[in-house]
């Protein structure tokens, strides 16, 4: 089993910044992609950003130019730097990882979520 531990959420004023972290642990052989999703009240979960092991990144249009995703492959950790936050960014943010266990079978794991609230 692969466990994802998220940190870095909280309350921030509009225009402020937050940095989310997510560390994967367990019987991991490789992680092909890691990403961040978010779910606001009454809305479906949506992709915010994802990054491959080769550090190719993909962003939702709503966060392009404001958010930056990065990863440390040696630490199996992904980060999301969020700048110029606005109230529409308020949501629970979930970490996601897709890869292979040490024994060779594939996995997809989710974190428990971290709340990000943007409010004055």
């Amino acid at each position: 089993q692969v466990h994802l531990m998220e940190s870095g959420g909280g309350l921030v004023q509009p225009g402020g910044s937050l940095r989310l972290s997510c560390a994967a642990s367990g019987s991991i052989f490789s992680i092909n992609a890691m990403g961040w999703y978010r779910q606001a009240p009454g809305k479906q979960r949506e992709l915010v950003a994802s990054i491959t092991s080769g550090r190719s990144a993909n962003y939702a249009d709503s966060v392009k130019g404001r958010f930056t995703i990065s990863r440390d492959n040696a630490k199996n950790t992904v980060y999301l730097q969020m700048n110029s936050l606005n109230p529409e960014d308020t949501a629970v943010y979930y970490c996601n990882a897709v890869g292979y266990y040490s024994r060779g079978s594939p996995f997809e794991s989710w974190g428990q979520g971290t709340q990000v609230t943007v409010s004055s």
Side-chain angles (χ1 to χ4, degrees):
Q1 188 174 2
V2 174
H3 178 65
L4 302 182
M5 176 64 74
E6 300 145 331
S7 62
L11 173 64
V12 64
Q13 292 186 341
S17 299
L18 283 175
R19 188 188 193 217
L20 305 182
S21 299
C22 171
S25 61
S27 300
I28 299 169
F29 175 73
S30 65
I31 301 179
N32 295 348
M34 300 186 80
W36 291 94
Y37 290 71
R38 68 186 181 187
Q39 187 166 19
K43 295 187 177 181
Q44 289 189 330
R45 189 175 297 189
E46 63 175 359
L47 174 68
V48 176
S50 64
I51 186 168
T52 67
S53 57
R55 296 185 174 85
S56 176
N58 179 52
Y59 296 92
D61 287 343
S62 59
V63 307
K64 284 181 181 176
R66 301 187 298 122
F67 291 10
T68 301
I69 190 169
S70 60
R71 66 186 281 178
D72 185 332
N73 290 334
K75 295 181 179 179
N76 288 331
T77 299
V78 64
Y79 307 94
L80 186 68
Q81 178 66 44
M82 305 185 292
N83 299 328
S84 301
L85 285 160
N86 59 61
E88 289 70 39
D89 296 314
T90 296
V92 178
Y93 284 69
Y94 297 91
C95 179
N96 173 270
V98 177
Y100 290 90
Y101 290 110
S102 299
R103 61 181 182 272
S105 57
F107 73 83
E108 179 176 16
S109 290
W110 290 89
Q112 291 190 327
T114 184
Q115 176 70 46
V116 171
T117 302
V118 185
S119 176
S120 55

